[in-house]
Amino acid sequence: MSNDADAADRPRAPRWLRPTIIAVFFAIAFYQMSGWLFHNLKGFLGLLFLAWLFSVTIEPIVDLLERRGLRRGAGTGLVMVSLFVLTVGFFALFGTILAEQVAQLLTTLPDALSRVTDWANRTFDTNFKTGDDLLHLTPDTIRDLAQRFTPGVLGVVSTLVGALFQLLTILLFVFYMSAEGPKMRRAISSWFPARQQKVIAEVWETSVEKAGGYVVSRLILAAASTIATGIFLLIIGVPYWLPLAIWTGVVSQFIPTLGTYLAIALPAIIAAASQPLDGVWVVVFGTLYQQVENYVLHPRITARTVSIHPAVAFGSVIVGATLFGAVGALVSVPVVAILQALVESYGTRYALIEQPDSTAPPPDPDSTAPPGPEDPKAR
């Protein structure tokens, strides 16, 4: 009897304790599993998002072909084949020149850096390192680097097979995401109530418009920068004009904030190695073209895309590169453009309260005092 009385007097655990402990264990397990999956699948997720970005880039053209009476799958295939033919045509026309100039550029780059540094030391009385000390390159270090980073035949074959597999994976997902885009949207929307289906459709449309518009506008600006830079370098006689022009166009458009300076630095160094004055002309041209792009080309081409603050864009590239590597750095800015568009569409802004100006002088009490009775002595 005493044992039953002791058991009855003993405090019982609350009912919510056991479910809470189980929920915490499940939350920890879910967190660990999610981290493990993300770590092992982040490469595939990056490729998947890159394929989606490519599909929304070509979606306006596919929609146009569909409105003209062509089936969506055939329109997607036609667009992808056309892009492939254009790429092959470009390399057929400029591939040999590009490969030769890139090989020569990589060979002469250390010497060009040394000559530019030597000219800067003579002109500005500086004491920068030149020659082999500039890059700390000696025959022994070059041989060690070649042995360390030059893969064998098996490594080259495996690298090519892996790259080909990734390319085919991206193209396969691009085709299905574009050809089955409307069906995919309807399938996803069917899992939600009618009120939320409209929101999903608007979010999807905004994402496609902003991401696709951003990529297309950057490609157009990169092509314009490449053509203009290539013509200028060819006119003033700068060697390796084709790879330098492509470098300038791609880097200036797809690397935020610092891309403009990195893009023009390499052509200026190569030009200054042959003729110091040519390096100055390259810098002047890059500065002038940047102004034309900022005030003429960029507003017209990116009128329908999202304008992102340079600091936000640069930070997004760092975060994307940290999470997904090179692919993450490439797709990070379109992701931020989508998020910014969604915040602007569904966010709420409030009017700011006017704050009193602390620099204004205090009001004169005599000027604000009500008029008193007239003094009879003043008459």
Side-chain angles (χ1 to χ4, degrees), residues 128-145:
F128 297 115
K129 295 181 179 181
T130 59
D132 294 336
D133 293 334
L134 181 63
L135 298 176
H136 301 286
L137 293 179
T138 62
D140 294 334
T141 57
I142 294 176
R143 184 175 60 254
D144 293 339
L145 290 174

Side-chain angles (χ1 to χ4, degrees), residues 231-368:
I231 293 174
F232 179 77
L233 296 179
L234 189 61
I235 289 175
I236 66 175
V238 176
Y240 325 120
W241 59 272
L242 183 56
L244 292 177
I246 296 176
W247 161 272
T248 303
V250 173
V251 172
S252 63
Q253 300 304 323
F254 290 97
I255 298 181
T257 308
L258 298 179
T260 303
Y261 308 102
L262 294 176
I264 204 62
L266 183 59
I269 291 174
I270 299 301
S274 302
Q275 182 62 250
L277 187 60
D278 288 345
V280 177
W281 285 119
V282 170
V283 173
V284 171
F285 167 79
T287 305
L288 294 178
Y289 180 81
Q290 187 64 32
Q291 303 308 312
V292 173
E293 180 183 288
N294 290 339
Y295 293 102
V296 179
L297 299 179
H298 192 275
R300 296 176 182 271
I301 295 175
T302 62
R304 298 182 60 183
T305 59
V306 179
S307 178
I308 304 175
H309 193 277
V312 176
F314 185 67
S316 66
V317 170
I318 295 177
V319 174
T322 303
L323 294 178
F324 296 103
V327 176
L330 182 63
V331 303
S332 57
V333 178
V335 172
V336 173
I338 294 172
L339 295 178
Q340 180 174 330
L342 295 179
V343 170
E344 291 178 354
S345 299
Y346 296 97
T348 303
R349 289 180 177 268
Y350 299 94
L352 293 177
I353 300 176
E354 294 186 1
Q355 300 292 334
D357 189 1
S358 60
T359 60
D364 188 1
D366 295 336
S367 61
T368 58

Side-chain angles (χ1 to χ4, degrees), residues 4 22 103 152 154 165 244 249 279-280:
D4 295 339
I22 295 175
L154 184 60
F165 177 77
L244 292 177
V280 177

Side-chain angles (χ1 to χ4, degrees), residues 46-236:
L47 292 179
L48 193 64
F49 189 84
L50 189 62
W52 177 81
L53 192 63
F54 190 9
S55 68
V56 300
T57 302
I58 66 175
E59 186 164 340
I61 305 177
V62 176
D63 292 339
L64 178 62
L65 294 177
E66 187 180 18
R67 290 194 296 268
R68 295 293 179 88
L70 194 63
R71 290 193 309 169
R72 191 170 186 87
T76 303
L78 179 61
V79 172
M80 295 180 66
V81 170
S82 301
L83 292 176
F84 177 76
V85 171
L86 289 176
T87 304
V88 172
F90 172 80
F91 282 103
L93 292 175
F94 300 103
T96 304
I97 300 175
L98 181 62
E100 292 178 354
Q101 291 191 1
V102 168
Q104 295 174 4
L105 176 62
L106 294 177
T107 303
T108 59
L109 184 59
D111 183 59
L113 290 173
S114 298
R115 282 185 286 175
V116 171
T117 307
D118 188 40
W119 172 81
N121 290 337
R122 294 195 310 268
T123 305
F124 303 105
D125 195 22
T126 56
N127 191 24
F128 297 115
K129 295 181 179 181
T130 59
D132 294 336
D133 293 334
L134 181 63
L135 298 176
H136 301 286
L137 293 179
T138 62
D140 294 334
T141 57
I142 294 176
R143 184 175 60 254
D144 293 339
L145 290 174
Q147 293 176 355
R148 181 180 304 177
F149 294 104
T150 301
V153 176
L154 184 60
V156 171
V157 172
S158 61
T159 302
L160 292 177
V161 171
L164 181 61
F165 177 77
Q166 290 183 349
L167 178 61
L168 293 177
T169 302
I170 291 177
L171 293 179
L172 182 65
F173 278 110
V174 167
F175 178 81
Y176 282 112
M177 287 180 178
S178 180
E180 305 292 331
K183 294 182 180 179
M184 188 186 305
R185 287 193 286 270
R186 287 194 295 267
I188 295 175
S189 300
S190 64
W191 289 90
F192 295 89
R195 180 183 299 178
Q196 299 178 1
Q197 290 180 8
K198 183 179 179 181
V199 177
I200 294 173
E202 292 177 355
V203 169
W204 192 291
E205 183 179 355
T206 301
S207 301
V208 169
E209 179 185 358
K210 297 306 178 182
Y214 176 84
V215 175
V216 171
S217 63
R218 288 296 164 180
L219 290 175
I220 295 174
L221 290 173
S225 178
T226 299
I227 294 173
T229 305
I231 293 174
F232 179 77
L233 296 179
L234 189 61
I235 289 175
I236 66 175

